[in-house]
Amino acid sequence: MVSATQIKKPEGPAALLAQAEEYAVSKTRKSTRMAIGLAMMAGLFIGLAFVFYLTVTTGSNAGWGITRLLGGLAFSMGLILVVLGGAELFTSTVLSMLARANGKISTAGLLHTWARVYLGNLLGALLLVLIVMTAGLYQLDDGQWGLNALHVAQHKLHHTWIQAFALGVLCNLLVCLAIWMTFTSQNPLTKAVMVILPVAMFVSTGFEHSVANMFMVPLGMSIATFAPDSFWQAVGASPDAFSDLNLARFISANLIPVTLGNILGGAGLVGMGYWLIINPEREKKTAQIASLALPSASYSESAIMTQETLTIEKHMKPAQCALNARQYVADALEKLNQYQLSGAPVLDDDGDLVGFFSVQDVLVDLWWNDYQPDMDAKVESLMRTEVQTVDAEQSVIELAQYMSIDNKVVYPVSDTGIATHFTNQSALERAKTQTVSRPYIYPVMRDNQLVGVITRADVVRALAPLYGNAIDILPADAKEGLVTA
């Protein structure tokens, strides 16, 4: 019986943290053009959500709490669009602090990531203000829609500085917890449902969101400045009553404290809060190795091979082909070409196996970034942390069977011998038509230390004598028996 080993994926909170770290790193790998473009989309989405909020709450007689709840549920559309549309929202991008905590980006890189998304959100929000004003939406319901917008915008500028900061903390605590929950599912509908209540709570309770304010306050300022006299006559109000809606007050009394509060609530309380509780470096170092049972190989009398002759150790490539986690991707690709490999194990600075890097990961990353690679990207940002390994003393034959045969397909029976699938195909026919998803390259370990790698091609070369001079791979006593015969 042979076993392959696998670095366990973390479970529970550690699994969510691992997902969050991948999410954080992905924020830093996008090109500036793509990041700003996707951020503009997010600014538009959040602005559209506020348009929905204003429409739902204008003229409502459902009572203070119910009206705000309905508005909050409507506003949740914004984060749903961001999550499912893959847009870049500043209040969730602050989770890239995890990438800084893990040393995967510099402080300058972190601030650059935040700045370009913040700028894109602002541009997208202002673009929507222009469209909304051009469409004259402020005149809906005889101008009550616009008056509602004015009151909401004005209210946002009358918090004290510390109050605005605290409301920003509370807001992004909920936004980032909503994003954090989406890491538990790959189903789009599930993700959408998960974000509704946290968003509805922060909106209905009056917490402050910097990107939402980039749309809402400039919209109020635009209505106060450009609305015609007919609008003011219809609502029975004067533009002088909203003279406090100005750029200087918006920036000093709202945008700055709310933005800082959003950073603390998202990057601090959620991101770094979980990171400090579940130290990722400690989790990586103490990752347990679990054995995966491989099927026992059967040997024909005409092809007897000894464990001594066909051990993996004798057919593997040397460990020098391993990569370092902090190695640049460009250098890693050059090394793979040198050893004619499509992937290689990744070691940390202490020589411990921490992942596997393949050209498949590079191709996916290139596609995601429109084939404009980040030349500062390192192996650790693209590698996979789930690795199947083999032991140096294992048999090549057993590894070959594991790579090529799925016992659940060829022998569809449970552990108790009960058939799980009925078919009239022979075992050979099932084996030929099966689809086996197994790695092509395996790190080779001895005493939990990497000593080499073995590829599918190495396995084929090791078994090639079966088609040639088979006597060379027979044990000595078997050779003598054949000669005597």
Side-chain angles (χ1 to χ4, degrees), residues 37-301:
L38 292 174
M40 289 183 66
M41 296 302 295
L44 277 167
F45 294 160
I46 296 300
L48 287 171
F50 232 134
V51 170
F52 199 3
Y53 171 90
L54 291 170
T55 301
V56 168
T57 57
T58 296
S60 173
N61 296 316
W64 185 87
I66 298 299
T67 298
R68 295 171 72 89
L69 172 61
L70 293 175
L73 292 173
F75 188 88
S76 65
M77 178 192 75
L79 193 57
I80 292 173
L81 289 173
V82 168
V83 171
L84 300 188
E88 291 288 339
L89 185 64
F90 173 75
T91 47
S92 58
T93 297
V94 296
L95 285 174
S96 56
M97 175 66 79
L98 290 169
R100 177 65 189 91
N102 288 335
K104 294 185 177 181
I105 59 171
S106 63
T107 300
L110 175 69
L111 295 177
H112 178 257
T113 298
W114 288 0
R116 63 188 187 180
V117 173
Y118 197 82
L119 174 62
N121 289 167
L122 178 61
L123 293 175
L126 294 179
L127 175 61
L128 187 62
V129 170
L130 176 61
I131 297 172
V132 167
M133 289 298 297
T134 303
L137 295 186
Y138 60 89
Q139 300 183 57
L140 291 174
D141 192 21
D142 295 325
Q144 293 303 308
W145 193 97
L147 186 61
N148 187 15
L150 285 165
H151 285 146
V152 171
Q154 189 176 52
H155 173 73
K156 291 179 175 296
L157 302 188
H158 286 273
H159 302 306
T160 65
W161 199 96
I162 192 65
Q163 186 181 18
F165 174 80
L167 290 172
V169 172
L170 290 169
C171 169
N172 216 29
L173 172 64
L174 286 168
V175 170
C176 285
L177 284 175
I179 296 296
W180 201 273
M181 288 193 299
T182 65
F183 299 147
T184 65
S185 175
Q186 297 299 319
N187 184 280
L189 180 60
T190 302
K191 288 176 179 284
V193 172
M194 283 178 174
V195 305
I196 291 175
L197 287 182
V199 173
M201 179 184 174
F202 98 67
V203 174
S204 61
T205 315
F207 300 160
E208 294 288 339
H209 190 280
S210 57
V211 179
N213 293 349
M214 291 176 184
F215 169 79
M216 194 63 246
V217 179
L219 176 62
M221 293 164 55
S222 298
I223 295 173
T225 304
F226 300 110
D229 292 339
S230 58
F231 167 80
W232 298 109
Q233 292 170 2
V235 299
S238 168
D240 294 336
F242 301 97
S243 60
D244 52 349
L245 281 172
N246 58 73
L247 183 60
R249 187 174 180 85
F250 169 46
I251 294 175
S252 62
N254 184 276
L255 195 57
I256 291 176
V258 169
T259 300
L260 294 176
N262 287 166
I263 292 172
L264 177 59
L269 296 185
V270 178
M272 293 308 298
Y274 272 107
W275 189 85
L276 291 172
I277 294 169
I278 310 166
N279 189 321
E281 293 301 319
R282 182 172 66 251
E283 288 293 321
K284 182 179 67 177
K285 295 296 184 183
T286 58
Q288 296 178 349
I289 304 298
S291 294
L292 297 176
L294 292 181
S296 298
S298 57
Y299 302 85
S300 65
E301 293 182 359

